[in-house]
């Protein structure tokens, strides 16, 4: 009965999406307050209904109700409780239900907290959100119903994909979906503004917190997925340019560009047309990622569905949402009034420079991801586009962007002084040169690019600190008053500096772990020892073990430094019995910021086994940097200015005749 209630709640949700899609939008166009007032309560009712549906599916998993096809295909009575819960979204149908739950949750947030929004904009935004929700709920009911029953219920289930039975994959999808779906709000704001013809600095301030929230969670989701692939797949790498990895990376790049362009729009009432276009493209790339994962066109450890009918349905949704929004943009954008002017050498100019390179990088990743699919569809020829292509196209685009990052926050608005900004960055530049030379001294000239990469990372980190020091002006006003100014800095200033510092930390981790790692691939018998970057790794032997729903062979390794035992590692080869699916579990020991990493290969007849061992210097900085980026977004969201209403254009605020400033448009 509970399962049927969950199904009925979805059907009722679809009916409400049709109301929300039409009535509030019509009311916003006609300025009918009664029709616009429907949007908020309907959005909250939709959230409660989808939440009820999600709880019903979760109950079916916890009760091991194998009469539900989705539970039978993806669960097992012996599966640990945590993975029974996470199994709810560890499959196509359940993950789509989670997607819709987050979608209506964001709509409910706008309905509940959007009291400071103009009524027409709020109603139209929720109406557009209703269009998106209607499409996905219909997709779920028509092709991906998680509540389908099996007439003769089996006694046991098929178990969850073993690769997903991991705490990292329990956390990764919800974080990623909040990021993906969060950009639907910026998309809805953009389309609503185009419908109403109102796009100004106030619109940018209303949109920015939602963009920051989505960007923050998408950053954490990508980071968690990267770390899961690093320790779970046993390959020893943290990023593989997998097409589905790219599917989440592209909206992150476009969302980063949108965040920066929205700042220009908010402060200078400029880049209106471009910011709206980025809002549309960012969510469009999220939809494209959904299509790639669920259409069956890709083979990946991340991909869910292989049913062509589902792929066609999503492709139709993709064409409707992206094609419709771009058509509306082409019609309405030329009618928008252009914003303020600025010199190329200014903070606005630096942010435009940022946008150009981020957009070019997004296009490079998009081409590398879609070209093999297009070639296969047109000619039947199958090719693989891997790391060499992306490293040669994406990498060079990032270098000038990273070099310019410290300049952006230091340059003045409208017209900046490059020489003055450079003088404020002398210390950062000196530190970068110092670390570059020290790296050359330690590693020699064999790896010329690596020391330059270290210097670039230090440049970005030191530049973010210089930004705060410049704002505080300690050298001019002293430490006492400087500390008071430090506490009074707005959240957006701390957010920008923290996020930029995190980028430098991640770049440093990428460079050092890639260029200076020590890798040993060999066959080891019990008692054998191998030296890995000064650490003696001894193989003590294999021992069988058993878990709740798997059996495994566990390798025992002892790590010594100077004859002293510092760690014991236990990598393993598992076999999940229900699916007869093997997995590799790496053994990892963290040495402050570096790691020793061991994974097992195939066993030999004489008791030896293939072993892959690494020393990865400073690799944890890759993920620590992403935490700094997410923390920067949190600081920016905490900025009080994002909660007190729309900004007033600077030109009207700087009046000297004592008159009250004119209201914002």
């Amino acid at each position: 009965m509970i399962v049927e209630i969950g199904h009925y709640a979805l059907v009722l949700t679809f009916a409400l999406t049709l109301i929300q899609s039409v009535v509030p939008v019509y009311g916003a166009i006609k300025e009918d307050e009664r029709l616009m007032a429907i949007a908020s309560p309907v959005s909250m009712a939709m959230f409660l209904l989808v939440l009820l549906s999600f709880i019903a599916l979760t109950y079916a998993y916890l009760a091991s109700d194998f009469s539900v096809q989705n539970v039978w295909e993806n669960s097992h009575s012996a599966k640990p409780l945590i993975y029974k819960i996470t199994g709810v979204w560890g499959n196509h149908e359940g993950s789509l239900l989670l997607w819709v739950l987050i979608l209506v949750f964001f709509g409910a947030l706008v309905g509940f907290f959007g009291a400071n929004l103009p009524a027409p904009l709020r109603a139209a935004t929720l109406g557009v959100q209703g269009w998106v929700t209607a499409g996905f709920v219909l997709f779920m009911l028509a092709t991906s119903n998680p509540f389908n029953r099996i007439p003769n219920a089996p006694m046991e289930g098929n178990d969850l994909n073993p690769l997903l039975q991991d705490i990292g994959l329990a956390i990764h999808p919800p974080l990623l979906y909040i990021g993906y779906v969060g950009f639907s709000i910026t998309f809805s704001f953009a389309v609503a503004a185009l419908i109403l013809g109102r796009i100004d600095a106030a619109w940018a301030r209303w949109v920015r917190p939602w963009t920051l929230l989505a960007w923050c969670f998408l950053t954490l989701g990508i980071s968690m997925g990267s770390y899961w692939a690093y320790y779970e797949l046993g390959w020893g790498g943290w990023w593989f340019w997998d097409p589905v990895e790219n599917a989440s990376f592209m909206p992150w790049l476009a969302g980063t560009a949108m965040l920066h362009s929205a700042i220009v729009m908010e402060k200078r009432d400029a880049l209106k047309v471009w910011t709206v276009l980025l809002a549309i493209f960012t969510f469009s790339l999220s939809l494209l990622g959904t299509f790639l994962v669920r259409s069956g066109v890709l083979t990946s450890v991340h991909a869910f569905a292989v049913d062509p009918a589902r792929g066609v349905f999503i492709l139709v949704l993709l064409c409707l949402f992206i094609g419709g929004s771009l058509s509306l943009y082409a019609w309405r954008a030329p009618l928008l009034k252009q914003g303020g002017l600025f010199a190329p050498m200014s903070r606005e100019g630096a942010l435009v420079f940022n946008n150009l390179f981020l957009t070019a990088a997004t296009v490079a990743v998009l081409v590398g991801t879609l070209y093999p699919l297009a070639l296969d569809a047109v000619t039947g020829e199958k090719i693989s586009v891997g790391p060499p292509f992306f490293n040669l196209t994406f990498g060079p685009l990032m270098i000038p962007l990273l070099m310019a990052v410290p300049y952006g926050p230091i340059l003045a608005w409208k017209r900046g002084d490059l020489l003055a900004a450079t003088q404020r960055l002398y210390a950062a530049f000196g530190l970068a040169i110092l670390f570059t030379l020290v790296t050359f001294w330690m590693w020699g000239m064999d790896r010329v690019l690596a020391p330059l990469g270290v210097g670039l990372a230090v440049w970005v980190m030191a530049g973010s600190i210089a930004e705060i020091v410049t704002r505080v002006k300690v050298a001019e006003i002293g430490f006492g008053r400087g500390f008071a100014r430090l506490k009074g800095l707005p959240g957006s200033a701390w957010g920008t500096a923290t996020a930029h510092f995190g980028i430098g930390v991640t770049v440093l981790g990428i460079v050092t772990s890639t260029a200076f790692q020590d890798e040993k691939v060999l066959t080891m018998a019990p008692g054998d020892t191998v030296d890995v970057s000064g650490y003696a790794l001894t193989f003590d032997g294999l021992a069988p073990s058993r878990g709740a729903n798997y059996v495994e062979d566990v390798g025992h390794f002892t790590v010594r430094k100077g004859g002293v035992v510092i760690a014991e590692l236990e990598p393993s080869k598992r076999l999940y019995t229900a699916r007869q699916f093997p997995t590799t579990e790496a053994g990892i020991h963290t040495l402050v910021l570096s790691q020793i990493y061991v994974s097992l290969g195939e066993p030999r007849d004489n008791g030896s086994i293939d072993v892959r061992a690494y020393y990865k210097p400073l690799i944890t900085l890759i993920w620590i940097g992403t935490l700094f980026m997410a923390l920067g977004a949190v600081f920016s969201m905490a900025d009080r200015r994002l909660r007190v209403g729309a900004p007033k254009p600077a030109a009207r605020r700087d009046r000297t005749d004592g008159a009250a400033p004119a209201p914002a448009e």
Side-chain angles (χ1 to χ4, degrees), residues 433-443:
I433 294 295
L434 175 63
F435 273 83
T436 301
L437 294 176
V438 168
T439 308
F440 270 120
W441 174 73
M442 292 177 61
W443 295 96

Side-chain angles (χ1 to χ4, degrees), residues 544-567:
S545 182
R546 178 177 293 273
N549 58 340
Y550 62 84
V551 294
E552 64 178 342
D553 289 323
V554 181
H556 295 274
F557 292 81
T558 303
V559 182
R560 295 179 175 85
K561 180 74 171 179
V564 179
V565 176
I566 62 171

Side-chain angles (χ1 to χ4, degrees), residues 137-439:
V137 174
L138 181 61
F139 172 50
M140 188 157 41
L141 291 173
T143 70
S144 309
N145 187 355
F147 299 105
N148 282 338
R149 290 279 196 180
I150 299 175
N152 299 313
M155 293 297 296
E156 193 53 86
N158 289 337
D159 205 359
L160 179 66
N161 183 343
L163 289 176
L164 305 181
Q165 294 189 41
D166 180 85
I167 192 62
L169 257 290
I171 301 170
H172 166 62
L175 293 176
L176 200 65
Y177 289 178
I178 293 173
Y180 267 157
V181 180
F183 285 125
S184 69
I185 289 293
T186 62
F187 172 83
S188 298
F189 266 107
V191 174
L194 288 172
I195 292 173
L196 300 175
R198 171 173 178 158
I199 300 178
D200 52 20
W203 178 89
R205 175 158 291 186
W206 287 320
V207 167
R208 200 147 70 93
W210 301 102
T211 309
L212 282 166
L213 180 64
W215 186 87
C216 175
F217 277 96
L218 187 57
T219 301
L220 293 174
I222 293 173
S223 175
M224 186 70 256
S226 167
Y227 193 66
W228 166 81
Y230 168 70
Y231 71 76
E232 178 65 23
L233 299 183
W235 298 343
W238 55 273
W239 191 263
F240 311 101
W241 292 109
D242 180 281
V244 183
E245 286 179 330
N246 297 346
S248 62
F249 191 43
M250 289 185 289
W252 186 88
L253 291 170
T256 305
M258 183 194 166
L259 276 176
H260 290 83
S261 66
I263 294 173
V264 178
M265 184 174 172
E266 178 187 338
K267 297 292 185 182
R268 299 288 303 145
D269 200 26
L271 300 185
K272 295 179 182 179
V273 176
W274 176 244
T275 304
V276 171
L277 183 61
L278 279 177
I280 293 173
F281 272 146
T282 301
F283 184 59
S284 297
L285 290 170
S286 295
L287 292 177
L288 177 63
T290 305
F291 170 72
L292 292 175
V293 174
R294 301 173 189 279
S295 63
V297 300
L298 292 179
T299 300
S300 167
V301 296
H302 307 80
F304 276 123
V306 295
D307 185 355
R310 292 170 175 173
V312 171
F313 200 112
I314 298 179
L315 186 60
V316 171
L317 288 180
L318 204 66
C319 294
L320 286 176
F321 291 139
I322 299 177
S325 58
L326 291 179
S327 298
L328 178 64
Y329 175 83
W331 172 40
R332 301 288 285 179
L335 304 178
L336 299 177
K337 186 179 71 173
Q338 297 301 314
L341 301 177
F342 52 86
M345 190 54 62
S346 62
R347 189 176 301 185
E348 297 97 322
L351 292 172
V352 170
F353 181 87
N354 159 290
N355 268 226
L356 290 174
F357 278 87
L358 282 174
T359 305
T362 306
V363 172
V365 177
L366 181 65
V367 170
T369 304
L370 296 185
Y371 177 72
L373 303 178
L375 187 66
D376 183 21
V378 175
T379 68
E381 181 182 353
K382 295 185 181 297
I383 65 169
S384 175
V385 176
F389 168 83
F390 292 106
N391 293 340
L392 289 174
T393 55
F394 182 83
L397 289 171
M398 290 297 100
I399 293 173
L401 176 61
L402 293 173
M403 292 177 64
V405 163
Y407 279 98
I410 291 179
L411 288 169
W413 291 104
K414 196 171 182 179
R415 184 179 297 277
D417 187 336
L418 182 62
L419 179 60
T422 302
Q423 290 172 342
R424 294 170 184 170
L425 291 170
Y426 275 167
F429 185 73
L431 278 175
I433 294 295
L434 175 63
F435 273 83
T436 301
L437 294 176
V438 168
T439 308

Side-chain angles (χ1 to χ4, degrees), residues 43-105:
S43 67
M44 296 175 197
M46 287 165 51
F47 168 66
L48 294 176
L49 286 171
V50 179
L51 179 62
L52 176 62
S53 183
F54 190 82
I55 291 173
L57 184 60
T58 303
Y59 171 81
Y61 269 84
L62 293 176
S64 293
D65 184 356
F66 298 124
S67 68
V68 179
Q69 183 176 356
N70 183 261
V71 179
W72 170 69
E73 290 177 346
N74 301 283
S75 191
H76 191 279
S77 59
K79 191 169 64 173
L81 177 63
I82 180 64
Y83 300 131
K84 286 185 178 181
I85 297 172
T86 61
V88 175
W89 57 79
N91 58 87
H92 169 70
E93 293 83 0
S95 67
L96 192 60
L97 181 59
L98 177 63
W99 173 287
V100 174
L101 177 63
I102 297 172
L103 191 63
V104 295
F105 176 64

Side-chain angles (χ1 to χ4, degrees), residues 19-29 35-36 38-39 120 123-124 126-127:
I19 296 174
Q20 190 186 35
S21 299
V22 177
V23 177
V25 178
Y26 182 78
I29 295 173
L35 297 180
M36 289 189 290
I38 292 175
L126 290 175

